Amino acid sequence: MKLSLSLDIAASGTASEPIASFRDRCAQIEAARPDFVILAHEGETGQIAPPRLEALVNAAWITGIIKTPCVVAGLPGLHSIPFHVARALSAIDFLSGDRSGWMPLVAEAARFDTAYGATLAGIDPAEAVARQDDFIRATQALWDSWDDDALILNKESGEYLDSTKVRRVDYRGPFYKTMGPLNAARPPQGYPLLFRDADAVQGSTVRADVA
């Protein structure tokens, strides 16, 4: 059995949680020894929703405070941009020492419609699942533009990477189109752990690592 906890840095306007209070919360979380810490919160309907502050921004420094569990970024699954997510999660996976994960979510879509200038809130549930699946495949395709051993990082020779192991990607799905290669190395895990809300993605054709 795996233990997971959710963490949302409370913020409203310019008011936010004092850093000392946040560090105390992180120490309590670390002491509980969870397997996963999901950056998300429970929405008004009871569904898991992305946090109020951007998960990809916060995950990088939170992994420096919470040092044991996998830190999972709750993301707006209908609005996120594959290239931006792939690049950010690659960096977080390196910084955390292979402890990153991601969880595309559909709750509170109206909030992200406002932020992204979209009209996706209230779409048919089957289309929402298909959009999420396509978003995941597009993001993973960008990670696949680098081989696991493409980075050389040889200080003596000055070699940085083997360019023959970095390739062009032209992903074209039903909802997303993206072109690589990604301008960031493949994450150490290959793919950061993929989490799904099983109740919200019934009919999905993408396998999750944790659901």
Side-chain angles (χ1 to χ4, degrees):
M1 183 175 70
K2 300 294 185 181
L3 173 62
S4 65
L5 297 173
S6 64
L7 173 63
D8 186 22
I9 303 173
S12 176
T14 59
S16 60
E17 182 176 9
I19 189 64
S21 173
F22 177 71
R23 288 183 180 278
D24 288 343
R25 271 210 295 158
C26 288
Q28 293 172 3
I29 289 172
E30 187 76 18
R33 302 184 64 82
D35 298 285
F36 316 113
V37 174
I38 302 173
L39 304 184
H41 75 276
E42 184 176 333
E44 294 180 358
T45 62
Q47 286 185 302
I48 304 173
R52 284 162 285 187
L53 295 180
E54 171 60 58
L56 290 175
V57 172
N58 287 318
W61 63 268
I62 286 174
T63 57
I65 299 175
I66 300 175
K67 298 182 178 295
T68 304
C70 175
V71 176
V72 182
L75 305 174
L78 302 179
H79 300 80
S80 294
I81 308 301
F83 199 95
H84 296 168
V85 171
R87 178 177 168 80
L89 278 171
S90 173
I92 293 166
D93 206 45
F94 275 98
L95 289 169
S96 66
D98 309 1
R99 290 187 297 113
S100 74
W102 56 316
M103 187 174 191
L105 299 164
V106 297
E108 299 185 0
R111 170 160 65 101
F112 295 99
D113 274 354
T114 301
Y116 286 84
T119 55
L120 296 171
I123 63 172
D124 181 76
E127 180 183 342
V129 171
R131 281 182 173 273
Q132 276 197 75
D133 285 359
D134 198 36
F135 161 62
I136 292 167
R137 291 192 182 97
T139 304
Q140 292 177 336
L142 290 166
W143 287 325
D144 286 339
S145 65
W146 288 63
D147 286 346
D148 291 333
D149 58 349
L151 281 180
I152 299 174
L153 302 178
N154 188 317
K155 292 183 178 180
E156 294 182 358
S157 67
E159 292 177 287
Y160 172 65
L161 63 83
D162 183 345
S163 60
T164 65
K165 296 182 178 182
V166 181
R167 66 191 62 80
R168 184 176 183 271
V169 169
D170 187 9
Y171 178 87
R172 296 179 180 274
F175 301 100
Y176 289 90
K177 296 179 175 60
T178 187
M179 187 173 291
L182 187 66
N183 59 349
R186 186 181 183 87
Q189 294 184 86
Y191 297 149
L193 290 177
L194 174 62
F195 289 63
R196 309 292 299 275
D197 181 351
D199 292 335
V201 294
Q202 294 183 22
S204 171
T205 59
V206 173
R207 185 187 66 83
D209 297 301
V210 182

